Amino acid sequence: MDLFRNFKSVTKTCYGRGSFGKLGEILEPHRSANKGFMVFLVDHYFEGKADFIACIPKQAADEIIFCSTAKEPSTKQIDGLRDDILARRGLPAGMVGIGGGNVMDVAKALSLMFTNEGSSVQYQGLNLIKKPGIYHCGVPTISGTGAEVSMTAVLTGPVKKLGLKCDWTVFDQIVLDPDLIASVPRDQWFYTGMDTYIHSVEAITGTKKNTFAEAYSEKALGMCREVFLKRERSDPKSDEFLMVASYMGGLSLTYSEVGVCHALSYGLGKVLELHHCIANCIAFDKLEDVYGDYVQEFKGMVKHLQVNIPQGLAKDWSESTIDAMAEVAYNLPHMWDHAFGPDWQKVLDRERIKGWYRRM
Amino acid sequence: MDLFRNFKSVTKTCYGRGSFGKLGEILEPHRSANKGFMVFLVDHYFEGKADFIACIPKQAADEIIFCSTAKEPSTKQIDGLRDDILARRGLPAGMVGIGGGNVMDVAKALSLMFTNEGSSVQYQGLNLIKKPGIYHCGVPTISGTGAEVSMTAVLTGPVKKLGLKCDWTVFDQIVLDPDLIASVPRDQWFYTGMDTYIHSVEAITGTKKNTFAEAYSEKALGMCREVFLKRERSDPKSDEFLMVASYMGGLSLTYSEVGVCHALSYGLGKVLELHHCIANCIAFDKLEDVYGDYVQEFKGMVKHLQVNIPQGLAKDWSESTIDAMAEVAYNLPHMWDHAFGPDWQKVLDRERIKGWYRRM
């Protein structure tokens, strides 16, 4: 039989231009729980952008907390935010994450850590969380990571970079408003959008996929082509396609896995603290021996849009840096198993991984 | 802004060959509720098919009830089943519907009527249900209607043919096992599969669609082409595609509507008691003036697969029969509004509707 998975969906989904304007109405039935206040966790990018902040349906008792995305979300950050809010205000009615994949993951993790005692470090892994979290809602303002639909909240801890992964991680509500992604800076728009392109490619080319995953991957890839090859960014359809592509790309992983690029990207993230989406682009650019025509297509998009993908990084990396990254990547067996099958150790060793890093 | 909808998803989804074998494990955590027994509502097609029945994870206290699908689900049928089970056994822990769209709708409606007092007639419409139902799980054995993901359970009542439509109608669990649809009789396989083709066409051609709905429609249509034009039915991919096409076709209606064909089909169903899926095929076959190339493509599939679409029916219909069907169809303004826009009354009157019926 196929891979057995029984996946939990986001409970409610509101898609469409203008749907951000309905957020107040959407939150209303959830406001009376616990201490009766909502926490809006907002990407620091919006700090001082008064027009945008005015659109957040904040009521008197609610809090807006600006969330730095300079680094990937960490267990320390989550524990600190949780302890601070609980000490000052008690248990919120709900969490609303407004931002990119980083903010989505912080909102998901915080929701769980409000009701599960101790440090988030002890819950990094699959199904380690003991209790459902508080109500949590995600409002993406940049599209591509698929964090709006995933069942994981990836955290960097003292030892591991690993998600809080369980059914309760999944959002209770997402609000997908294409208007919100219209003003994303161009490079970030491309790097983040490429996350859905790359994980859709990885999902569709490995051994663990099924027809359900393929359908989502193929459609996400088709929409990426519309956005990054065929249409102008100013075409209103472009933002709409990208938002749906991110959603569908995220769902393509429900019955598949990421592969070689994400494994290498985790190494770049853990050792060099490179952001996930740009790290993916740096790695994918050098993976023609694995992803063939897809890498050609990626290069075509880069050229067409005149985006900068950093080159020649490896010449500044010491052997021990490369060793460390290869070690992180090698220790992701589920990705290699998906990419190359159960006998992956016959075609992959640390030297091959180092070879890819040296090309970057 | 777009149509504002905030849609409830099926809570958990298990897709894949062999997943029916996991049903027992999936139901286990839900068995202790209420009186601690499960009701398996099974399409009468399986009555006496011992090999299939043996695969149902029935425990000692559970009941299997075979459900006739000779007629479309009715309020009387639902009320009767509910009253009988409550009188004999009390409130079940959950309902498991195993069958086609008809059985899916009965399972959804029954789940709600176990906890909402009085006759189901009083709940026909949008958001009239007062309380959540009991746990309900859907296991399709034929694909195409999309009933596995929809938020409605269509019932024929003494006055109206209208659904119990609310967030609580949506299944808590669906199990999508392509093995289960392999032995569907050929004509039924085609008629039911065409339901997803036809409502995807209607979804994508009207005025109320958005990009989210388009993405699902387009992918569902592509998979229908694989199943009904490009592959042999014996190709294992064929059943897999059809099951995912039904799921995605159902989701295409989340942000769109059905159109002319479904309106005419409701007339055929209400007045002549024709089953929904064959009625759709009879109507769609004559709608070239509305759905153009899609009707050509449909005719190509019919020819390629040598399926019988009933012809020349209208010659046996009296004027009063045609009047009655046209009246049912005309009174579905949301479908006409979607198909022709808010000024639909300028292009549509009862005479035009009768003209379509006379072609059948």
Side-chain angles (χ1 to χ4, degrees):
Chain A
M1 69 170 283
D2 285 334
L3 192 64
F4 172 65
R5 281 189 187 159
N6 191 16
F7 76 91
K8 168 78 173 62
S9 295
V10 168
T11 309
K12 297 192 83 171
T13 301
C14 182
Y15 170 89
R17 289 193 183 273
S19 56
F20 187 46
K22 298 286 185 175
L23 182 60
E25 184 181 319
I26 288 168
L27 297 178
E28 198 53 44
H30 305 283
R31 286 188 161 279
S32 59
N34 308 320
K35 296 286 181 187
F37 69 102
M38 285 280 167
V39 175
F40 295 92
L41 195 78
V42 181
D43 194 314
H44 68 130
Y45 171 81
F46 295 107
E47 200 162 1
K49 293 194 163 65
D51 289 353
F52 183 85
I53 301 300
C55 296
I56 297 174
K58 179 187 179 302
Q59 295 190 356
D62 296 344
E63 296 215 1
I64 292 182
I65 296 176
F66 290 100
C67 181
S68 167
T69 56
K71 291 193 176 184
E72 301 283 71
S74 71
T75 52
K76 196 176 157 191
Q77 175 191 15
I78 299 299
D79 296 350
L81 278 166
R82 185 259 322 258
D83 294 345
D84 170 61
I85 295 168
L86 283 182
R88 286 191 297 106
R89 304 287 312 272
L91 194 62
M95 288 289 315
V96 184
I98 302 176
N102 188 314
V103 173
M104 295 293 109
D105 278 5
V106 173
K108 289 192 281 186
L110 256 181
S111 153
L112 295 168
M113 293 312 300
F114 273 120
T115 52
N116 287 272
E117 289 80 26
S119 168
S120 51
V121 175
Q122 71 197 82
Y123 301 109
Q124 285 184 283
L126 181 63
N127 292 335
L128 300 177
I129 290 283
K130 306 288 179 214
K131 299 174 199 165
I134 62 170
Y135 175 84
H136 49 307
C137 167
V139 185
T141 60
I142 181 167
S143 286
T145 66
E148 63 274 27
V149 289
S150 79
M151 65 175 290
T152 191
V154 181
L155 299 182
T156 303
V159 183
K160 298 177 278 196
K161 182 176 178 181
L162 196 62
L164 309 185
K165 192 171 182 180
C166 70
D167 285 351
W168 294 315
T169 312
V170 179
F171 279 116
D172 297 300
Q173 172 78 58
I174 54 176
V175 175
L176 305 176
D177 186 341
D179 285 344
L180 297 188
I181 66 170
S183 61
V184 173
R186 186 180 171 81
D187 279 5
Q188 199 54 45
W189 164 79
F190 182 81
Y191 299 146
T192 308
M194 279 301 108
D195 197 6
T196 203
Y197 179 84
I198 292 169
H199 60 235
S200 295
V201 168
E202 291 176 300
I204 212 170
T205 50
T207 60
K208 294 189 178 173
K209 67 179 191 285
N210 65 17
T211 302
F212 189 95
E214 282 174 327
Y216 276 110
S217 302
E218 287 165 2
K219 192 65 196 165
L221 290 172
M223 288 186 283
C224 286
R225 287 176 191 119
E226 290 288 334
V227 174
F228 297 112
L229 284 173
K230 298 181 188 167
R231 291 176 190 256
E232 296 296 321
R233 193 174 166 201
S234 57
D235 178 341
K237 269 296 210 193
S238 175
D239 289 332
E240 297 174 10
F241 277 130
L242 187 56
M243 198 152 233
V244 179
S246 175
Y247 176 89
M248 290 196 161
L251 290 173
S252 77
L253 293 175
T254 305
Y255 282 105
S256 193
E257 288 286 348
V258 292
V260 179
C261 183
H262 272 71
L264 299 180
S265 173
Y266 270 50
L268 293 164
K270 179 79 184 158
V271 175
L272 302 175
E273 297 195 355
L274 280 175
H275 271 219
H276 179 67
C277 297
I278 193 165
N280 275 348
C281 288
I282 292 168
F284 197 70
D285 195 44
K286 307 301 176 193
L287 284 170
E288 214 168 320
D289 53 333
V290 182
Y291 296 115
D293 291 346
Y294 291 112
V295 175
Q296 282 302 323
E297 185 168 67
F298 168 82
K299 287 174 185 286
M301 292 173 183
V302 168
K303 193 174 171 192
H304 174 64
L305 295 163
Q306 298 178 284
V307 177
N308 175 47
I309 305 297
Q311 304 288 335
L313 302 172
K315 68 177 189 305
D316 298 326
W317 295 341
S318 67
E319 271 306 299
S320 70
T321 296
I322 292 177
D323 285 351
M325 293 193 292
E327 200 56 32
V328 172
Y330 189 80
N331 286 300
L332 293 162
H334 59 291
M335 299 185 193
W336 303 115
D337 186 358
H338 170 62
F340 298 127
D343 292 333
W344 60 270
Q345 284 167 312
K346 290 185 182 160
V347 297
L348 186 94
D349 57 14
R350 288 171 178 79
E351 282 310 309
R352 188 171 178 197
I353 296 174
K354 289 186 209 171
W356 285 315
Y357 281 120
R358 289 196 186 96
R359 291 185 206 165
M360 295 178 192
Chain B
M1 70 168 283
D2 285 335
L3 191 65
F4 172 66
R5 282 189 187 159
N6 191 15
F7 76 91
K8 168 78 173 63
S9 295
V10 168
T11 309
K12 297 193 81 170
T13 301
C14 183
Y15 170 89
R17 288 193 184 274
S19 55
F20 186 47
K22 298 286 184 173
L23 182 60
E25 186 180 315
I26 288 168
L27 297 178
E28 198 54 44
H30 304 283
R31 285 187 161 279
S32 58
N34 307 321
K35 295 287 181 187
F37 69 100
M38 285 280 167
V39 174
F40 294 92
L41 195 78
V42 181
D43 194 315
H44 68 129
Y45 171 80
F46 294 107
E47 201 161 0
K49 293 196 164 65
D51 288 356
F52 184 84
I53 301 300
C55 295
I56 297 173
K58 179 186 179 304
Q59 295 190 357
D62 297 343
E63 296 214 2
I64 292 183
I65 295 176
F66 290 100
C67 181
S68 168
T69 57
K71 293 193 176 184
E72 301 282 70
S74 70
T75 52
K76 195 175 159 192
Q77 175 192 15
I78 299 299
D79 296 350
L81 278 166
R82 185 258 323 257
D83 294 344
D84 170 61
I85 294 167
L86 283 182
R88 285 191 298 105
R89 304 287 311 274
L91 194 62
M95 288 290 316
V96 185
I98 303 176
N102 187 312
V103 173
M104 295 294 109
D105 278 6
V106 174
K108 288 192 279 187
L110 255 182
S111 153
L112 295 168
M113 292 312 301
F114 273 120
T115 53
N116 287 273
E117 290 79 25
S119 168
S120 51
V121 174
Q122 70 198 84
Y123 301 109
Q124 284 184 284
L126 181 63
N127 292 334
L128 301 177
I129 289 282
K130 307 286 178 214
K131 300 174 199 166
I134 63 169
Y135 175 84
H136 49 306
C137 168
V139 185
T141 60
I142 181 167
S143 286
T145 66
E148 63 274 28
V149 290
S150 79
M151 65 176 289
T152 191
V154 181
L155 299 182
T156 303
V159 182
K160 299 177 277 197
K161 183 176 177 180
L162 196 63
L164 308 186
K165 192 169 182 181
C166 70
D167 286 351
W168 294 316
T169 311
V170 179
F171 279 117
D172 297 300
Q173 172 78 58
I174 54 176
V175 176
L176 305 175
D177 185 341
D179 285 344
L180 297 187
I181 65 169
S183 61
V184 173
R186 186 179 171 83
D187 279 5
Q188 198 55 44
W189 164 79
F190 182 81
Y191 300 146
T192 309
M194 279 301 109
D195 196 7
T196 203
Y197 180 84
I198 292 169
H199 61 236
S200 295
V201 167
E202 291 175 299
I204 212 170
T205 49
T207 60
K208 295 189 179 172
K209 67 178 189 288
N210 66 16
T211 301
F212 190 95
E214 282 174 326
Y216 276 110
S217 301
E218 287 165 3
K219 193 63 196 166
L221 290 173
M223 288 187 283
C224 286
R225 288 176 190 120
E226 290 288 334
V227 174
F228 297 112
L229 283 173
K230 297 181 187 167
R231 292 176 189 256
E232 295 296 320
R233 193 174 166 201
S234 57
D235 178 340
K237 269 295 209 193
S238 175
D239 290 332
E240 297 174 10
F241 278 130
L242 188 57
M243 197 153 234
V244 180
S246 175
Y247 176 89
M248 290 195 160
L251 290 173
S252 77
L253 294 175
T254 305
Y255 282 106
S256 194
E257 289 286 347
V258 292
V260 179
C261 183
H262 272 70
L264 299 181
S265 173
Y266 270 50
L268 293 165
K270 180 77 184 159
V271 176
L272 301 176
E273 296 196 356
L274 279 175
H275 270 220
H276 179 67
C277 296
I278 193 166
N280 276 347
C281 289
I282 291 167
F284 197 71
D285 194 45
K286 307 301 176 194
L287 285 169
E288 215 168 319
D289 54 333
V290 182
Y291 295 115
D293 290 347
Y294 291 113
V295 175
Q296 283 301 324
E297 184 167 68
F298 168 82
K299 286 174 185 286
M301 292 173 182
V302 169
K303 193 175 172 191
H304 174 65
L305 295 163
Q306 299 176 285
V307 177
N308 174 48
I309 306 298
Q311 303 288 336
L313 301 172
K315 68 177 189 304
D316 298 326
W317 295 341
S318 67
E319 271 306 299
S320 70
T321 296
I322 292 177
D323 285 351
M325 293 193 291
E327 200 57 34
V328 172
Y330 189 80
N331 287 301
L332 293 162
H334 59 292
M335 299 185 193
W336 302 116
D337 186 358
H338 171 62
F340 298 126
D343 293 333
W344 59 271
Q345 283 167 311
K346 289 184 183 160
V347 296
L348 187 93
D349 57 14
R350 287 172 177 81
E351 282 311 309
R352 187 170 180 198
I353 296 176
K354 288 186 209 171
W356 283 315
Y357 280 121
R358 288 195 187 97
R359 291 186 206 164
M360 295 178 192

